[in-house]
C-alpha cells in the first residue's frame, strides 16, 4: 500500500456487504447480477444514475463469432492483428471462445438485438474485422439497449444500489487486503456525504478516462476515477499510453470541448467513404481494408490528410445510403448530425479523431484480479491483455461481459470473510486541485499527448503537469490555502491529473510507434526492443515508476490464492 489517499472527510456512515461493484456499465452490472445470483450480498455504486455510464453511448455493437462460417479462431486472428503484437493470446482466446455464449446469456437477461427476416441475429462489419460479426440493437443504439436490459434486471433483482456517488479510495484491513471503499454521495437517496461500503471484494468497473483530453466521445463522468484509486492503493497499471482515438467523431469546431458525438465505425462497415474536401477517397491503397482498417491506421490517415491539407477535419460520405437506410440503420447518428446542422442524407459529415477508449488500465489476470488482494477490475478500467496496443472495434462490450462473469465466479468460489477496514490508513492525503484546473489539464494532454506525440511534446506535457502537481502541494502548505477544498469537482480533477501524469510517463518511455501510440520522432514499430508492456505504479513520494517487461507476456499478477 502507498498510504496515498484523497483529502476527504472521514466516512460518516457505513454499510456492509460481501461485494461492492463500482460502476454501472455492462461490466459492472453483469458482475453484480452474477454475484447476487451466487448468493453474495452485493452493492452497486455508480457515479450518476444507473444508466449514465459509457455503455449506453456504444453505437456499433458487440463482436462475437455468431455468424455462419465464422469461428472464434478467426475472431482471435483479427484481434491479434489489431493489437499490434501486444495482445495476451490466452486472454484473447478466453474472450473469443467464451464470448458467443456470454452474448446468448445477455439475450436471456433481456437484451434484444436486431434480427434478419429469418430471425437470426443481424451482423455487420467494423474496422479490422474480416467477417460480419457485430451484433447490434436499434440500428445504432446497442449500448443503450444493453444498458436498459441490465438496469431492468438489477432493479428486478432488488440489488442494493447507491447512485450519484463518487468513489474516493480503497479501504484495507490490517493485513493490507481490500476491505471496501470510501465514497461521496451527492445529495440524493438514503445516504449523503462521505461514507463507506465495507466489503472484502471490490470490483472496479468505472469505465474510461477520456476526459483527460479536450475532445472525447466519453461522457463527463469518465474522469479516470478507478485507475486513480487503484494507483493510490498501490495497484499496477499497464499499457496506459495506448489511448484509442476514434477516427470519425463529428467535428463541431476547433474550440469545441467535452463529449463529442460519435459517428460509429458501423457507418463505414455499411459502405461509407472517407474523403477530402474534393471528394477524393484517401484510404484506398493505404490498407487492404481501406476505410475498414484498424482504428489507429484510419485515425493516422485522417490526421495526415488534415496536416497535408491544412484543415481541421476530413469528411465521411454516406449520401449513397439514402434517407430510408439512414433512418432505419443509424437513427441516433442521423439525429445527432441534424441537431448540429448537418444532414448526412444530402451532405458529407465533417469528422476528426477524438479520444475514445483506453486500451490499457489496471493490470489484471484472467479472473480480473489486480495486484492488490481483494481488488478486481473489469471493462475499460482494466487491462486484461485483450486489446494490446489497439482495441479491435466492438470487443469492449464483449470483454466487459466475459470477464465480469469470470470475476463473479472467482469471488463466489473464494468467498473471502469480512474483516473490516483498519482504523488508520496512514500517510498524508493528496493535495487537491482547484476545479478550474480541469481545462488546463485537458489542453496540456491534447497538445502534448494526443494523436500525434513526440519526445518534445511529451516532455512539455510532463513539465506542465508536474507544475500543476507541485502548485497544489505548495498551496496545502501555505498559511492561507485557497484551492484544497474537498468536493466532487476537486476530487475529479485531482484524479485526472494523476492518470495524466502516469499516461505521459508511459508515453515518454515507449520510444516507438505502435498501435494507437504514434510518436512522430519514432515513426517505426520496434519489436526487438518494444514488444514489451510498460507497467506503472505510484511510489510513496507520488512519482510514477515505469517498468518495462522482459517479454511480450504479462508477468503474473500474483500467486493463486
Amino acid at each position: 500500500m502507498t498510504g496515498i489517499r484523497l483529502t476527504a472527510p472521514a466516512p460518516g456512515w457505513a454499510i456492509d456487504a460481501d461485494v461492492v461493484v463500482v460502476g454501472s456499465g455492462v461490466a459492472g452490472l453483469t458482475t453484480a447480477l452474477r454475484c447476487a445470483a451466487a448468493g453474495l450480498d452485493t452493492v452497486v455504486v455508480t457515479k450518476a444514475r444507473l444508466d449514465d455510464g459509457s455503455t449506453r453511448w456504444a453505437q456499433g455493437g458487440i463482436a462475437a463469432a455468431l455468424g455462419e462460417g465464422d469461428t472464434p479462431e478467426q475472431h482471435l486472428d483479427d484481434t491479434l492483428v489489431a493489437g499490434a503484437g501486444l495482445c495476451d493470446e490466452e486472454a484473447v482466446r478466453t474472450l473469443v471462445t467464451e464470448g458467443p455464449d456470454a452474448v446468448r446469456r445477455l439475450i436471456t437477461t433481456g437484451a434484444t438485438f436486431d434480427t434478419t427476416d429469418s430471425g437470426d441475429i443481424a451482423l455487420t462489419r467494423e474496422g479490422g474485422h474480416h467477417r460480419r460479426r457485430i451484433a447490434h440493437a436499434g440500428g445504432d443504439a446497442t449500448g443503450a439497449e444493453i444498458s436498459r436490459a441490465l438496469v431492468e434486471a438489477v432493479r428486478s433483482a432488488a440489488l442494493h444500489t447507491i447512485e450519484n456517488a463518487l468513489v474516493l479510495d480503497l479501504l484495507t484491513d490490517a493485513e493490507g487486503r481490500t476491505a471496501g471503499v470510501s465514497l461521496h454521495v451527492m445529495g440524493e437517496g438514503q445516504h449523503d456525504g462521505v461514507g463507506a461500503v465495507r466489503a472484502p471484494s471490490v470490483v472496479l468497473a468505472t469505465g474510461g478516462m477520456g476526459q483527460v483530453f479536450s475532445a472525447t466521445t466519453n461522457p463527463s463522468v469518465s474522469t479516470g476515477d478507478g485507475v486513480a484509486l487503484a494507483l493510490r492503493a498501490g495497484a499496477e497499471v499497464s499499457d496506459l499510453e495506448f489511448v484509442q482515438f476514434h477516427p470519425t467523431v463529428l467535428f463541431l469546431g476547433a474550440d469545441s470541448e467535452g463529449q463529442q458525438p460519435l459517428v460509429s465505425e458501423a457507418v463505414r462497415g455499411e459502405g461509407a467513404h472517407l474523403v477530402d474536401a474534393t471528394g477524393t477517397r484517401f484510404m484506398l491503397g493505404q490498407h487492404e481494408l481501406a476505410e475498414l482498417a484498424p482504428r489507429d491506421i484510419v485515425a493516422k490517415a485522417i490526421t495526415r490528410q488534415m496536416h497535408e491539407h491544412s484543415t481541421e477535419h476530413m469528411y465521411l460520405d454516406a449520401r449513397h445510403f439514402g434517407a430510408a437506410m439512414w433512418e432505419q440503420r443509424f437513427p441516433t447518428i442521423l439525429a445527432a448530425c441534424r441537431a448540429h446542422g448537418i444532414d448526412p442524407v444530402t451532405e458529407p459529415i465533417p469528422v476528426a479523431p477524438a479520444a475514445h477508449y483506453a486500451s490499457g488500465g489496471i493490470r489484471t489476470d484472467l479472473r480480473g484480479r489486480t495486484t492488490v488482494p481483494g481488488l478486481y477490475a473489469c471493462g475499460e478500467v482494466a487491462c486484461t491483455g485483450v486489446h494490446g496496443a489497439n482495441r479491435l472495434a466492438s470487443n469492449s462490450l464483449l470483454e466487459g461481459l466475459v470477464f465480469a462473469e469470470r470475476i463473479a465466479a472467482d469471488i463466489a468460489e473464494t468467498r473471502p470473510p469480512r474483516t473490516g477496514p483498519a482504523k488508520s490508513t496512514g500517510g498524508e492525503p493528496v493535495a487537491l486541485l482547484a476545479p478550474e484546473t480541469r481545462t488546463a489539464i485537458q489542453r496540456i494532454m491534447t497538445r502534448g499527448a494526443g494523436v500525434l506525440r513526440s519526445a518534445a511534446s511529451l516532455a512539455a506535457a510532463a513539465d506542465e503537469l508536474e507544475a500543476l502537481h507541485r502548485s497544489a502541494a505548495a498551496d496545502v502548505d501555505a498559511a492561507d490555502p485557497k484551492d484544497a477544498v474537498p468536493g466532487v469537482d476537486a476530487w475529479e480533477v485531482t484524479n485526472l491529473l494523476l492518470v495524466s501524469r502516469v499516461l505521459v510517463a508511459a508515453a515518454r518511455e515507449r520510444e516507438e510507434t505502435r498501435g494507437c501510440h504514434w510518436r512522430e520522432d519514432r515513426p517505426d514499430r520496434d519489436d526487438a526492443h518494444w514488444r514489451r508492456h510498460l507497467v506503472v505504479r505510484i511510489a510513496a513520494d507520488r512519482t510514477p515508476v515505469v517498468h518495462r517487461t522482459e517479454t511480450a507476456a504479462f508477468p503474473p499478477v500474483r500467486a493463486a490464492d
Side-chain angles (χ1 to χ4, degrees):
M1 298 297 294
T2 65
I4 304 171
R5 65 188 191 280
L6 288 173
T7 300
W13 54 269
I15 58 176
D16 293 297
D18 296 319
V19 185
V20 56
V21 177
V22 186
S24 60
V26 63
L29 295 188
T30 301
T31 304
L33 286 166
R34 297 292 184 269
C35 285
L40 295 160
D41 184 2
T42 305
V43 175
V44 176
V45 174
T46 188
K47 195 172 179 180
R49 305 295 291 179
L50 275 181
D51 63 353
D52 277 344
S54 292
T55 290
R56 76 181 181 97
W57 297 99
Q59 294 173 344
I62 184 165
L66 296 165
E68 186 178 349
D70 197 7
T71 63
E73 199 69 28
Q74 293 175 69
H75 189 182
L76 179 141
D77 289 343
D78 285 346
T79 301
L80 295 180
V81 169
L86 281 186
C87 294
D88 180 279
E89 187 166 340
E90 186 181 0
V92 178
R93 195 171 295 281
T94 298
L95 178 83
V96 299
T97 55
E98 297 182 10
D101 282 344
V103 173
R104 294 182 185 105
R105 283 188 288 273
L106 178 62
I107 293 170
T108 64
T109 303
T112 302
F113 289 94
D114 297 338
T115 56
T116 64
D117 292 340
S118 61
D120 296 324
I121 295 175
L123 301 172
T124 189
R125 274 182 71 195
E126 291 186 1
H129 293 273
H130 283 79
R131 283 191 174 271
R132 297 179 77 90
R133 65 167 66 98
I134 317 299
H136 48 83
D140 57 358
T142 310
E145 169 58 15
I146 290 173
S147 180
R148 178 205 63 75
L150 291 173
V151 168
E152 282 191 13
V154 163
R155 288 180 174 149
S156 296
L159 264 66
H160 188 160
T161 61
I162 303 175
E163 297 179 292
N164 302 299
L166 173 65
V167 68
L168 300 176
D169 280 305
L170 191 72
L171 303 175
T172 54
D173 64 17
E175 305 299 320
R177 197 185 189 286
T178 293
V181 291
S182 58
L183 64 156
H184 174 81
V185 182
M186 295 172 252
E188 293 185 29
Q190 63 189 109
H191 305 293
D192 193 10
V194 175
V197 179
R198 299 181 297 216
S201 297
V202 171
V203 182
L204 296 178
T206 51
M209 53 186 189
Q211 290 291 328
V212 301
F213 297 97
S214 296
T216 177
T217 63
N218 291 188
S220 61
V221 294
S222 297
T223 49
D225 308 316
V227 170
L229 176 151
L231 284 164
R232 287 193 298 270
E236 293 178 348
V237 303
S238 187
D239 300 353
L240 219 62
E241 68 271 29
F242 296 118
V243 176
Q244 187 175 84
F245 287 78
H246 198 289
T248 54
V249 175
L250 183 62
F251 180 75
L252 300 180
D255 298 326
S256 183
E257 296 181 336
Q259 186 178 9
Q260 313 286 302
L262 176 67
V263 182
S264 169
E265 200 152 309
V267 177
R268 282 176 280 137
E270 296 291 353
H273 301 145
L274 283 165
V275 299
D276 60 22
T278 68
T280 303
R281 289 178 66 183
F282 55 83
M283 285 304 301
L284 295 175
Q286 296 211 28
H287 190 275
E288 59 165 340
L289 296 176
E291 280 89 356
L292 285 177
R295 287 178 178 174
D296 62 308
I297 293 170
V298 179
K300 291 171 188 175
I302 291 173
T303 303
R304 285 193 190 100
Q305 290 292 318
M306 286 160 52
H307 279 251
E308 288 177 14
H309 292 266
S310 299
T311 184
E312 294 169 322
H313 62 83
M314 287 287 114
Y315 293 94
L316 187 65
D317 191 352
R319 289 174 291 180
H320 54 284
F321 285 5
M325 181 173 172
W326 267 109
E327 290 163 6
Q328 204 170 34
R329 181 68 179 85
F330 301 111
T332 309
I333 299 169
L334 178 64
C337 289
R338 285 177 169 169
H340 292 284
I342 298 150
D343 188 351
V345 177
T346 60
E347 59 187 319
I349 306 167
V351 293
H356 182 57
Y357 190 88
S359 291
I362 308 164
R363 194 165 75 81
T364 74
D365 64 12
L366 297 186
R367 288 188 276 177
R369 302 180 305 175
T370 74
T371 51
V372 174
L375 179 65
Y376 297 79
C378 191
E380 188 173 355
V381 73
C383 182
T384 61
V386 159
H387 304 308
N390 183 46
R391 174 177 66 92
L392 181 65
S394 288
N395 268 356
S396 52
L397 293 174
L398 191 70
E399 182 192 33
L401 272 184
V402 168
F403 286 90
E405 293 184 343
R406 289 180 143 254
I407 288 171
D410 191 69
I411 297 172
E413 179 185 331
T414 57
R415 292 184 184 266
R418 301 181 187 182
T419 57
K423 287 185 169 53
S424 173
T425 56
E428 289 296 318
V430 171
L432 300 179
L433 275 73
E436 56 267 26
T437 313
R438 181 171 179 146
T439 301
I441 292 171
Q442 291 170 331
R443 290 177 178 170
I444 290 167
M445 291 297 289
T446 298
R447 184 170 58 246
V451 179
L452 288 172
R453 302 167 177 177
S454 67
S457 77
L458 291 165
D463 289 345
E464 291 176 86
L465 293 171
E466 195 59 33
L468 293 176
H469 176 67
R470 287 197 304 269
S471 175
D475 185 69
V476 169
D477 296 331
D480 181 27
K482 300 178 179 59
D483 296 333
V485 179
V488 172
D489 291 341
W491 288 321
E492 283 189 335
V493 74
T494 302
N495 286 338
L496 284 173
L497 178 62
L498 176 56
V499 295
S500 295
R501 290 172 66 219
V502 172
L503 191 161
V504 168
R508 292 183 77 183
E509 183 79 10
R510 184 171 291 281
E511 296 181 338
E512 64 158 355
T513 289
R514 181 185 297 271
C516 49
H517 172 68
W518 186 8
R519 287 279 299 257
E520 288 182 282
D521 54 333
R522 303 280 185 170
D524 298 319
R525 172 171 154 175
D526 180 359
D527 280 351
H529 298 95
W530 288 107
R531 191 163 174 252
R532 309 283 190 275
H533 297 279
L534 294 178
V535 176
V536 190
R537 60 178 177 82
I538 291 294
D541 65 359
R542 302 174 192 186
T543 58
V545 177
V546 184
H547 166 69
R548 178 168 36 163
T549 61
E550 295 183 3
T551 70
F554 272 133
V557 166
R558 65 173 188 271
D561 290 337

